[in-house]
Amino acid sequence: ALAQPSSVVISESAAQRHFGNQKALGQSMLFDKQPFRVTAIMRDMPATSHFRTDFFLSMRDDNYKWGSWLGMNHHT
């Protein structure tokens, strides 16, 4: 789902928050004024998980400077 540049996977609750009843798949979202296309919807992380997120962004984009807002410290 993240193989293409400028793609994003979002959680079910993020899809509901940002798109309401509209279909989220294929829609665009802006991150730091950069458009990303929703390529998948994932289930929400369990409340008991120590790892919680609503978005996974593709880092496969030579035109985008990740250091501008993420820094170079990425944890997975």
Side-chain angles (χ1 to χ4, degrees), residues 1-9 27-29 31 34-39 56-64 66:
L2 296 172
Q4 296 299 315
S6 301
S7 56
V8 61
V9 173
Q27 297 282 355
S28 288
M29 300 182 77
F31 292 89
Q34 188 78 11
F36 284 77
R37 187 171 58 89
V38 177
T39 55
F56 287 103
L57 300 172
S58 170
M59 296 184 71
R60 192 172 179 198
D61 194 340
D62 295 335
N63 297 319
Y64 190 67
W66 286 104

Side-chain angles (χ1 to χ4, degrees), residues 9-65:
V9 173
I10 65 174
S11 68
E12 291 173 333
S13 54
Q16 180 64 38
R17 253 190 334 271
H18 293 277
F19 299 104
N21 293 329
Q22 292 181 347
K23 183 179 175 183
L25 210 53
Q27 297 282 355
S28 288
M29 300 182 77
L30 294 177
F31 292 89
D32 195 30
K33 301 179 185 175
Q34 188 78 11
F36 284 77
R37 187 171 58 89
V38 177
T39 55
I41 311 296
M42 64 180 171
R43 291 186 180 148
D44 291 340
M45 302 273 177
T48 56
S49 174
H50 74 281
F51 184 79
R52 301 201 49 200
T53 188
D54 284 321
F55 307 97
F56 287 103
L57 300 172
S58 170
M59 296 184 71
R60 192 172 179 198
D61 194 340
D62 295 335
N63 297 319
Y64 190 67
K65 305 299 180 216

